[in-house]
Amino acid sequence: MSNNLTRKSLAFGAMVALASSVIAGAPAQAAGEVVFAPTTGTSYRTFLDASFELTASLAPGQVAANITQLKYQIAGTATGDVLYGINAAATVATTSASQVVTATGSATVANKLSLALSAAKVTANATYSTTVTAFIDSNSNNVLDSGEFSQAQTVTFVKYSEVVPTVTLTTPAVGDTTLKASVSLADINVSQLTAANYKIAFTSTGTGNGTIADVQVSATGTATSAALTNANVAADVITAQAKYGTTLLGAAAVSATVAARTITVPVVGDITAVTGDNATGTTARTNSAFSVALLVKDTATTPAAKAGEVVSVAVTSSVAVSATKTLSVNGTVSNATVALPTALSVTTDSAGKAIVNLIPAGFAAGDTFTVTYTAQNVVVAKTFTLADAAFSITDSQDETASANRAIAKGGTVSFNLEVKDQFGVIIAGSARIKTTPTINAVAGSASYTAVAAGKATVSLVDTQTAAAPGNDSLKIELETQNASTLNWAVSNFAGFGAASAAFQTVTVAVSATAPGFASSPAPASGTKFTGTVTPVEYTAVTGVAGDNGVSLLNVAAGLATSVAGQKVTISGTGLLFRVGTKNYADSVTLFSGAAGAFAVTVYGKTAGDATVTLVTGTTTKTAVITFAAGAPALVAIVTPAQAQVGQALDVVINVTDKWGNVVATPAAVGAGNLGFLTVKSTGTGYFASAAPVANAAGVATVKYIVGTADIGTAYLSATLDLATDVTA
C-alpha cells in the first residue's frame, strides 16, 4: 500500500515539476499585448502648457475582459509635477514621483489618459518629459510586476523657444488680395493642439492694410488671410510667422517683397481669334475648329512679345457641355463627365501668344464660348459667338465699297465680283450670280453667271441715246443649287460691298458725257509730306511708309459732275498706293464715293520727283510729288582694293538712307559732332586727318596717305555720329 502511495506522490510531483518548467520558460513580458499610443497623431511631443492624451487597449487575440485590470504608472521627477485625468481633462496632481493610477478599463469604451504639467512646471519654462506605462495589474497589487502585460511611452512637454517651425510664405504678387503661407512644427503633435490657437501671423507694409488678423492653420498646415484692404502693389513687404495662442514661434518671421509685374497689363483687345478660315473678330464658324490667343508683352519702354509666360485659362459655354455637345480645349474633350477647364496652364510661344485651340461639336449658331485669361493676377476675357456662313459679294476693284457706279450713256460698267463668307472663305458648291438690269426705269431680262473659284464678272450695258439719259440699276443676287433636287434658289447674303443685304441693287448714274476731274489733283499738304502709316498688308514693300515721306493725294472736290461710282485709275511707276486699308504697287483702280470724292495715299522710296497719273473716262491728269530722302541709315566706303606705296588716295564715304538715297549731314560741327563722320585706320598708311568730316552733299572725300615703306594691309572705317552710330 505504501508503494502505491509513493508512486502516486511521484506522479503528482512530476506534474508539478512540468508545470513549473512551463511557467519558468515564459518571458517576463510578451511584446505587443498592450497597445498604448497617442489618441490622435503620432508624435509624443507637445507644448509646455498644452495637454496630451493617450489611449490604451489590448492587442487582438488577448482576453478582452483583462482590460478591467488596466492601470497607469506615471513617472515624474517629483510629486505633483504631472497632472492627469482618466477619460477626462488632466486636473489631478500625482502624489508621488512614480504614481500608479487605477484606470478600471473598459472593453467597449476607449481608455484614455490625459496628461499635463503643473502650473509650477509650466512657469519654470523648461522642457519636461514623463514616462507613462499602461499595464494589466493581473494580481491586483497596484504594482507593475515583472511578467505583467505593459507598454511604456515617454511624453515630452517642450518649451516654445525650442520649437523651430518651418514656415513657407507663398510668393506674394502684385494684385494679390490675400496672403498665404504653410507651416510645419518640428515633431509636435499638432493634431492634439487646440486648433483655434494654432495660427499664422501676417503683416504687410501695403498702404491701408494695417493690422491683419491672425489666421488659424488648417488641418493641412496652410493658412490664408482675410481679404486685404488694398491689393498688393510692387515693393510691399509681406511677413508670416507661426504662432500658438499669444506666443510667436521661431526666431523671426519669414518675409518677401512683392515684385513688380514682368508683363504689360493685358487688356481685352489683346485677345483675338487667330486669323483663319473659321474665325474673325469675335465670331467663329459653327462647330469648326478655331483658336483664340492672348498677346502678352514685356514691360520695356516699347513693350515686346514675351515668350515663356505661363498663363491660366478658363473656358465657359453659354450651353452646358454634354454627351451630344462637346468642346475640345487644347486636346482635352469636355462632355457630360469631363468639365470645362477652369485653370488650364498655357505658356506663351515665341510670338508672345497664349493659344487656346477650341473644337466645338453639336452646338448651334448663336451659342457662345468665353475664354478667360489670368496672367500675373490680371484677368481678361472675351466671348466668341458661333455663326453659320453668311456670304457677301464684293467687287475686287471697289476699294471704297460705295456700291455705286457712274458711266456715260451708251457705256458699259463691269463688276469683278468675289463671293466669300464672313471668314474670308470663298463659296463652295454650285453657285451663280443672277443679275437683273433696269435701263432708265425699264426692266430687262435676268441673266446668270457661274461663280468659279469664288469669282464672277458681270456687266451692265447702257443702251440710251437720249440727250438727257436717266439712271440705270443692276440687281445682283446670289443663287445656290440644292445638291439633291438640283433646284436653284436665291440665297440671302450679307450684302454687296459695305452695304447690307437690303441694298442688292446697284445704282448706275448715267451722264450725257463722261465726267472729268473738278480740278487738277495735287498733294493735299504741298509737295512734301511725312507720315507714319505702315502698309503692312502689302508684303512686297512692307516698311516703306514713314521712311521716305508720304504724300496724301486727296481730290476733295471730286469729279466735275460730283457723281458717285465713277471709275478712277491712279498709277505711278515705283510707287505704292494705299486705299482704305489695302496697298497696291504701281497702280490702283477705285470708284468715287459720295459727291464724287476719293482719296489715296501715295508712298515712294526714291528721293526726288514722282509723277502720279489719274485717269477717269477720257480725262487724264497728273500730279508731281517730291519725296525727300529718309533718315541717314547707311555708310559706305569707296576705295581702291590696292594702292602703290608713296601715294595719297581719295577715300570716298557715302551716307544714304535705308533705300540708298543720298543724305546730307550738317555743314558745320554741332554739339557732340551729331551727324558728322569720323574716320579710323589700322595697319599700313594713315588718314591725313581724323577730325570730323562734313558731309553736306551726302558724300565726303578724305585723303589717305600710303608711305613709301607702307607695305601690307590697311583696315579703314567710317562712323556716322547718330543716336545709334552707324559704321562702315
Side-chain angles (χ1 to χ4, degrees), residues 220-383:
T220 59
T222 61
T224 301
S225 75
L228 300 174
T229 302
N230 295 303
N232 287 346
V233 298
D236 285 352
V237 178
I238 309 301
T239 70
Q241 190 167 7
K243 190 175 186 181
Y244 189 72
T246 60
T247 304
L248 291 170
L249 306 177
V254 175
S255 66
T257 301
V258 179
R261 285 193 176 103
T262 59
I263 62 172
T264 297
V265 175
V267 296
V268 175
D270 292 324
I271 303 175
T272 57
V274 177
T275 302
D277 291 347
N278 295 327
T280 178
T282 57
T283 303
R285 191 186 303 277
T286 304
N287 295 327
S288 298
F290 69 101
S291 299
V292 177
L294 170 70
L295 175 60
V296 179
K297 296 182 178 180
D298 60 23
T299 55
T301 303
T302 302
K306 191 173 191 298
E309 181 70 20
V310 178
V311 179
S312 179
V313 179
V315 179
T316 58
S317 171
S318 63
V319 178
V321 292
S322 65
T324 59
K325 298 179 185 295
T326 64
L327 179 64
S328 171
V329 182
N330 279 8
T332 300
V333 178
S334 295
N335 48 33
T337 57
V338 180
L340 288 168
T342 58
L344 176 67
S345 181
V346 179
T347 302
T348 57
D349 60 17
S350 60
K353 293 184 177 181
I355 297 177
V356 179
N357 301 303
L358 304 174
I359 307 176
F363 291 89
D367 292 344
T368 63
F369 302 113
T370 300
V371 181
T372 302
Y373 287 92
T374 302
Q376 296 192 21
N377 276 339
V378 181
V379 181
V380 287
K382 183 173 283 189
T383 298

Side-chain angles (χ1 to χ4, degrees), residues 391-678:
F391 291 96
S392 61
I393 301 176
T394 59
D395 189 328
S396 60
Q397 289 185 316
D398 186 10
E399 290 302 336
T400 59
S402 65
N404 291 295
R405 297 293 183 269
I407 57 174
K409 66 179 182 179
T412 300
V413 60
S414 296
F415 301 86
N416 297 323
L417 304 181
E418 293 182 344
V419 185
K420 296 180 180 179
D421 63 19
Q422 69 268 48
F423 308 107
V425 178
I426 62 174
I427 193 169
S430 298
R432 65 187 185 185
I433 300 295
K434 176 184 178 182
T435 53
T436 306
T438 298
I439 307 299
N440 193 14
V442 178
S445 300
S447 60
Y448 301 89
T449 305
V451 177
K455 296 183 179 181
T457 299
V458 299
S459 300
L460 179 144
V461 179
D462 181 73
T463 57
Q464 299 180 77
T465 58
N471 288 342
D472 301 337
S473 67
L474 185 66
K475 185 177 183 180
I476 299 175
E477 297 173 283
L478 174 66
E479 289 191 342
T480 55
Q481 187 178 35
N482 186 292
S484 299
T485 65
L486 301 182
N487 293 330
W488 289 90
V490 173
S491 173
N492 290 328
F493 60 95
F496 178 83
S500 67
F503 299 95
Q504 298 175 24
T505 300
V506 180
T507 299
V508 180
V510 182
S511 58
T513 58
F517 294 106
S519 59
S520 294
S525 300
T527 57
K528 293 181 181 180
F529 179 84
T530 59
T532 57
V533 179
T534 303
V536 295
E537 296 89 349
Y538 197 81
T539 56
V541 285
T542 295
V544 301
D547 292 334
N548 296 281
V550 179
S551 290
L552 181 65
L553 192 65
N554 186 357
V555 186
L559 303 169
T561 54
S562 300
V563 177
Q566 179 65 29
K567 183 177 180 180
V568 180
T569 299
I570 307 168
S571 61
T573 302
L575 300 177
L576 177 75
F577 299 97
R578 185 181 185 92
V579 180
T581 60
K582 294 184 179 180
N583 305 280
Y584 301 87
D586 296 326
S587 69
V588 62
T589 296
L590 54 79
F591 295 88
S592 64
F598 61 93
V600 62
T601 306
V602 184
Y603 298 88
K605 63 181 181 181
T606 301
D609 291 345
T611 299
V612 178
T613 302
L614 301 93
V615 178
T616 183
T618 59
T619 304
T620 298
K621 295 287 185 179
T622 59
V624 176
I625 302 171
T626 301
F627 289 101
L634 302 174
V635 176
I637 297 177
V638 181
T639 185
Q642 293 181 327
Q644 296 288 334
V645 295
Q647 286 187 328
L649 302 176
D650 284 335
V651 175
V652 178
I653 305 169
N654 296 312
V655 179
T656 65
D657 61 17
K658 66 182 293 184
W659 302 112
N661 298 303
V662 172
V663 181
T665 54
V669 177
N673 296 338
L674 187 64
F676 270 70
L677 290 163
T678 54

